[in-house]
Amino acid sequence: MPVTRDARPRRYLMCPPTYFTVAYEINPWMHQDVPTDTELAVRQWEELKKTYDELGHEVELIEPIPGLPDMVYAANGAVMGDGVVYSAKFTYPQRQPEGPAYEKWFADAGFPTVTATEINEGEGDILTVGELVFAGTGFRTSLASHLELQEAIGKPVISMHLVDPRFYHLDTAMMVLSDDDIAYYPEAFSDGSRRVLERLFPDALIATEADAEVLGLNGVSDGKNVIHNPRATALAAALAERGYNPIGIDTSELLKGGGGAKCCTLEIRA
């Protein structure tokens, strides 16, 4: 019998993809020679936001800034732990102005903020599972930022070493399903990091390579409803077997920039 799952209302920060395009190449998913359709990206983003609204979640918006086409990937903008905001400090110069923009939004909203001095890309590489925080490294976020993050939010931070460039952020290789349940793609991690996940989550949902390759793990869960790429069919079936309600939302245009539903969604953990 599937486990009965309970949804918990969430509060999210999102950024409309008003200026979305692929103007440069900083991850394996981005190709400037592949045309992008900004209007389609906006429609897909609006469907994602509408789904959150219909599920009873509160969605806050940050104003997009011209010249920052990746600002739609709000998850990269910061990370929150117990009401404290740890700002992002991006690896590539094309995205570096996003960090201060998101930090200003949180400060203006009245949240205490800690300005990062070490390279990190927010919830793209930092995922909260109950009382634990998992922080990726290997491609975008520095190992030094993990210690800085722990000092900022006062929660245990566990380092995860990513080894496959297709999964350059932790949120492309691992999805938080509940406070004690995750899904992940083992081959995206180093041997030691895999063994840590096996030890902490022996019953975790293991994603197939086919589902991982379409960024099926770049999803958002409220504890019951799981927003995911509809092309991740095996993942959807496995989620349903576990008592979750998988909801496929097409973000294929935004995938051209290397992100899906999770990349577009930063959780406000007040």
Side-chain angles (χ1 to χ4, degrees), residues 52-68:
Y52 290 147
D53 292 336
E54 291 175 344
L55 291 172
H57 304 308
E58 181 182 355
V59 178
E60 304 274 2
L61 298 179
I62 183 173
E63 190 72 21
I65 298 174
L68 298 179

Side-chain angles (χ1 to χ4, degrees), residues 14-90:
M14 300 181 71
C15 181
T18 308
Y19 306 108
F20 174 74
T21 187
V22 176
Y24 41 79
E25 299 179 9
I26 59 173
N27 69 56
W29 302 87
M30 303 177 85
H31 304 285
Q32 288 180 271
D33 57 345
V34 176
T36 53
D37 185 336
T38 304
E39 291 185 0
L40 176 57
V42 169
R43 290 197 300 272
Q44 292 180 347
W45 179 91
E46 288 176 341
E47 182 64 25
L48 176 62
K49 180 185 178 298
K50 177 184 173 185
T51 302
Y52 290 147
D53 292 336
E54 291 175 344
L55 291 172
H57 304 308
E58 181 182 355
V59 178
E60 304 274 2
L61 298 179
I62 183 173
E63 190 72 21
I65 298 174
L68 298 179
D70 283 350
M71 197 169 168
V72 62
Y73 303 122
N76 303 154
V79 65
M80 289 191 71
D82 292 342
V84 177
V85 178
Y86 177 61
S87 73
K89 185 177 181 182
F90 285 83

Side-chain angles (χ1 to χ4, degrees), residues 159-239:
S159 298
M160 292 280 107
H161 187 197
L162 299 166
V163 296
D164 187 327
R166 294 176 298 173
F167 311 110
Y168 60 98
H169 275 153
L170 184 60
D171 69 357
T172 66
M174 172 178 161
M175 177 166 54
V176 181
L177 299 175
S178 72
D179 285 347
D180 57 7
D181 194 17
I182 67 168
Y184 69 100
Y185 177 57
E187 284 72 19
F189 297 90
S190 68
D191 180 65
S193 293
R194 280 199 306 271
R195 283 183 285 141
V196 169
L197 292 174
E198 289 167 358
R199 182 184 297 271
L200 293 175
F201 303 100
D203 299 319
L205 192 163
I206 304 301
T208 66
E209 182 174 15
D211 285 347
E213 283 181 331
V214 296
L215 294 192
L217 290 166
N218 193 246
V220 178
S221 173
D222 61 15
K224 177 181 179 180
N225 305 290
V226 182
I227 312 299
H228 67 92
N229 186 334
R231 294 172 61 193
T233 53
L235 179 66
L239 287 167

Side-chain angles (χ1 to χ4, degrees), residues 211-269:
D211 285 347
E213 283 181 331
V214 296
L215 294 192
L217 290 166
N218 193 246
V220 178
S221 173
D222 61 15
K224 177 181 179 180
N225 305 290
V226 182
I227 312 299
H228 67 92
N229 186 334
R231 294 172 61 193
T233 53
L235 179 66
L239 287 167
E241 288 179 2
R242 287 174 174 244
Y244 293 101
N245 177 36
I247 302 174
I249 300 293
D250 183 15
T251 54
S252 55
E253 197 63 22
L254 294 164
L255 187 63
K256 293 177 181 178
K262 177 65 189 88
C263 282
C264 295
T265 310
L266 171 57
E267 185 164 355
I268 300 173
R269 304 174 186 276

